[in-house]
Amino acid sequence: MMGRREGEQGQFFYSFHLDKVVPPDHLVRQIDGLLDLDWVHKELAPYYSHTGRPSIDPVLMIRMLLIGYIFAIRSERRICAEIQVNLAYRWFCKLGVEDRIPDHSVFCRARNERFRESDALRRIFEGVVAMCIGAGLVGGEAFSIDASLIKADVNKTKRIPGDQPFSWPKAEEASHAVREYLVALDAARGQEDHGGDDGSGEGGRRRKPPKEVSLTDPQATWVARPGLDPFLAYDANYLIDNKAGVIIDAAGSRANRAVEIAVTQTMVERVERRFDLRPRTLAGDTAYGAVRLLKWLVDRNIAPHVPVWDKSARPDGTFSRADFVFDQGRNIYVCPGGAELTSTGNIDQGHIVYYRASKNDCSRCSLKPKCTTATVRKITRDLNEDVRDRVRALANTEAFEQSRRERKKVEMRFAHMKRILRLDRFRLRGLSGVRDEVLLTATAQNLRRLAKLLCRVPPSRATICPA
Ligand code: SF4
């Protein structure tokens, strides 16, 4: 017989305990048992005034943000709405059923002021990494690096060519993203005047203006690749430990290769400083095969398991540099015809050395049609070519193969970021917003991973997770 609920909607008084309605194996319980935010009030106290109305509790805001990033809720307005109706989220945020949810507008100010000044989001991320290390999920022996392009939150039609002069609004009338761009531009000019880098803090030298500049978020990079509709983007950079795929460092950055290399150096140094971990190997794709990074790694006894970036091969079938033999002792190249190419002594761009054959040898050489159309053949050699040779030799080892296989873990982190956490487009504008989003996403991924690995054992046997 069909049942039917009858009568009044409910009783007059309820006995209700929020803790009892959240299932013991719910992800929020597992993560709550791992999370340590005890330091927040003490550390952030200097960034709050001692007078006036009390602000929203920063721990509540951090918990709300984490709910958003862990459960792929992609807007702060939506996070507030979900916490309003979801009891498990309320429980995680330590809110009672009748407590008011803060307005979404409080996050913007907290992020742009107190959280940024105190570096709170990085501290939370590093706290979670420290927990992963404590739980034995980090080997510290082999790391992998990669960067993934994420679309910027802009309308790409609102842009101008990078070399076109543009009158930007005054700072007080400009958006946060434009203000940040103008400050970075001033800093870059100052650096250039003193012969330094581009002032991005990421070591990239700006040799020419960008191709296109967004009027909404001018720090976003115009990405035009074959087969892809061009778009404006930033990079999410991840450094992972190969043992369990824990993200050991994360950074949002402008999207270009020089910046990716500078960010890699920053992350490797930061991990060593914070956690006293220096890997024996670092795996990466060809984008990380620039000699500057290879030498930097080799100098620190880190074996670069990276394909060497080498443009010396010639697609037209003529002899490439690999066909010439370098004689280290005499500092000469010997060509396929047996002639010697000697150094001109000139060093270009601070690291490129030229070697030339003699006019006499080339003019009577039968191999000349396969070698050069110029009067004499010239080849270049990097001052650190021996480093590249050492890295090339690593490519044939079993350890390199293993690193290449394990490097897939960093690609899987990015796939998880885009498909499960739905970060295929940044929500915040400006480089600082992008950095915040990358850090929060990496924190959420590590927390989910930590919960998965530690909390799948029965609760009675789990040492860290109390669920
Ligand atoms: S053209 Fe000159 S450099 Fe080339 S193979 Fe002949 S002698 Fe050697």
Side-chain angles (χ1 to χ4, degrees):
M1 192 178 93
M2 182 190 293
R4 179 178 292 197
R5 282 174 52 82
E6 301 277 357
E8 298 294 314
Q9 254 218 317
Q11 61 209 69
F12 214 69
F13 296 103
Y14 289 91
S15 166
F16 183 80
H17 202 290
L18 193 52
D19 189 52
K20 289 194 179 137
V21 296
V22 181
D25 57 349
H26 197 291
L27 185 58
V28 291
R29 271 196 190 276
Q30 298 172 346
I31 289 177
D32 183 64
L34 301 167
L35 204 57
D36 173 18
L37 296 175
D38 290 347
W39 55 272
V40 172
H41 288 129
K42 191 171 163 221
E43 298 289 324
L44 265 61
Y47 301 93
Y48 285 82
S49 165
H50 297 294
T51 56
R53 261 179 41 194
S55 73
I56 305 290
D57 186 341
V59 172
L60 170 60
M61 281 195 279
I62 290 168
R63 282 181 175 271
M64 289 178 75
L65 282 173
L66 286 176
I67 283 287
Y69 282 84
I70 290 167
F71 294 100
I73 306 169
R74 294 285 299 129
S75 95
E76 279 150 9
R77 197 183 286 261
R78 191 89 207 115
I79 293 172
C80 296
E82 289 291 333
I83 293 173
Q84 177 75 34
V85 297
N86 188 309
L87 294 178
Y89 295 171
R90 268 186 184 264
W91 177 88
F92 180 80
C93 295
K94 312 295 177 201
L95 289 165
V97 277
E98 292 183 348
D99 284 336
R100 281 192 58 213
I101 310 294
D103 189 76
H104 62 88
S105 58
V106 299
F107 290 101
C108 181
R109 190 161 170 218
R111 230 191 359 253
N112 288 332
E113 294 175 9
R114 284 140 191 167
F115 289 177
R116 202 155 289 155
E117 287 162 18
S118 61
D119 214 6
L121 300 183
R122 180 158 289 283
R123 290 202 52 184
I124 296 164
F125 170 76
E126 288 178 351
V128 175
V129 173
M131 238 179 309
C132 295
I133 294 171
L137 300 180
V138 173
E141 293 279 300
F143 289 177
S144 295
I145 178 83
D146 204 357
S148 184
L149 284 170
I150 314 257
K151 283 184 183 163
D153 180 37
V154 292
N155 175 351
K156 73 173 183 179
T157 59
K158 291 185 179 167
R159 65 177 206 271
I160 52 168
D163 52 4
Q164 178 180 312
F166 184 74
S167 168
W168 293 97
K170 288 187 192 136
E172 55 275 18
E173 293 161 12
S175 67
H176 183 81
V178 170
R179 262 201 318 273
E180 202 178 283
Y181 167 72
L182 296 175
V183 169
L185 210 59
D186 283 346
R189 286 197 192 110
Q191 291 275 336
E192 277 166 15
D193 290 347
H194 293 93
D197 66 10
D198 68 358
S200 63
E202 293 163 333
R205 280 182 183 277
R206 183 174 299 147
R207 295 191 181 96
K208 52 185 181 184
K211 208 160 189 158
E212 303 283 331
V213 174
S214 163
L215 297 177
T216 325
D217 187 352
Q219 286 177 294
T221 307
W222 180 249
V223 179
R225 298 202 171 153
L228 275 183
D229 198 16
F231 56 101
L232 286 146
Y234 285 97
D235 258 346
N237 302 269
Y238 274 3
L239 181 68
I240 67 151
D241 181 87
N242 289 356
K243 184 176 177 184
V246 169
I247 303 162
I248 203 113
D249 203 345
S253 72
R254 295 181 58 240
N256 81 49
R257 199 168 277 185
V259 172
E260 283 172 16
I261 287 172
V263 170
T264 304
Q265 295 170 333
T266 304
M267 293 203 291
V268 170
E269 280 178 337
R270 187 162 45 208
V271 167
E272 181 164 8
R273 209 167 48 243
R274 298 278 207 272
F275 306 114
D276 198 21
L277 291 176
R278 181 185 283 189
R280 283 191 305 106
T281 63
L282 178 74
D285 60 24
T286 322
Y288 299 91
V291 69
R292 177 159 68 96
L293 180 61
L294 301 180
K295 172 151 176 44
W296 187 88
L297 291 168
V298 167
D299 287 348
R300 282 158 186 76
N301 288 325
I302 301 171
H305 285 176
V306 177
V308 175
W309 195 21
D310 190 346
K311 288 187 166 176
S312 64
R314 292 188 160 193
D316 60 1
T318 56
F319 295 139
S320 63
R321 191 177 54 201
D323 297 309
F324 292 70
V325 179
F326 186 63
D327 184 334
Q328 186 115 31
R330 295 163 65 204
N331 188 27
I332 57 160
Y333 272 99
V334 179
C335 74
E340 294 176 358
L341 284 77
T342 53
S343 165
T344 58
N346 294 336
I347 298 177
D348 199 17
Q349 297 170 33
H351 61 108
I352 298 169
V353 186
Y354 287 92
Y355 291 80
R356 287 164 62 109
S358 83
K359 199 171 167 184
N360 235 350
D361 289 333
C362 290
S363 59
R364 54 198 164 119
C365 174
S366 59
L367 295 172
K368 191 157 185 281
K370 279 208 76 185
C371 189
T372 182
T373 52
T375 315
V376 294
R377 175 69 191 263
K378 266 192 294 191
I379 56 175
T380 58
R381 180 179 172 85
D382 198 285
L383 273 180
N384 295 306
E385 196 64 36
D386 55 327
V387 173
R388 293 175 14 140
D389 289 341
R390 280 167 66 184
V391 177
R392 277 189 198 102
L394 292 176
N396 303 319
T397 60
E398 175 53 34
F400 186 95
E401 261 310 299
Q402 188 179 343
S403 290
R404 200 178 60 82
R405 286 192 296 270
E406 289 182 340
R407 192 164 61 79
K408 292 199 169 45
K409 287 180 184 168
V410 69
E411 290 164 8
M412 283 160 64
R413 301 280 84 201
F414 284 129
H416 181 264
M417 170 201 256
K418 290 182 179 178
R419 290 204 199 126
I420 309 297
L421 303 187
R422 294 170 42 207
L423 191 82
D424 51 359
R425 182 185 176 105
F426 284 113
R427 193 176 49 73
L428 303 178
R429 290 176 182 160
L431 192 50
S432 352
V434 163
R435 285 176 178 150
D436 289 350
E437 278 210 79
V438 171
L439 269 179
L440 278 165
T441 308
T443 306
Q445 287 185 285
N446 277 346
L447 278 171
R448 286 175 68 126
R449 186 138 197 85
L450 199 54
K452 186 178 171 189
L453 294 173
L454 293 185
C455 299
R456 65 182 170 196
V457 294
S460 56
R461 279 169 40 211
T463 49
I464 291 185
C465 180

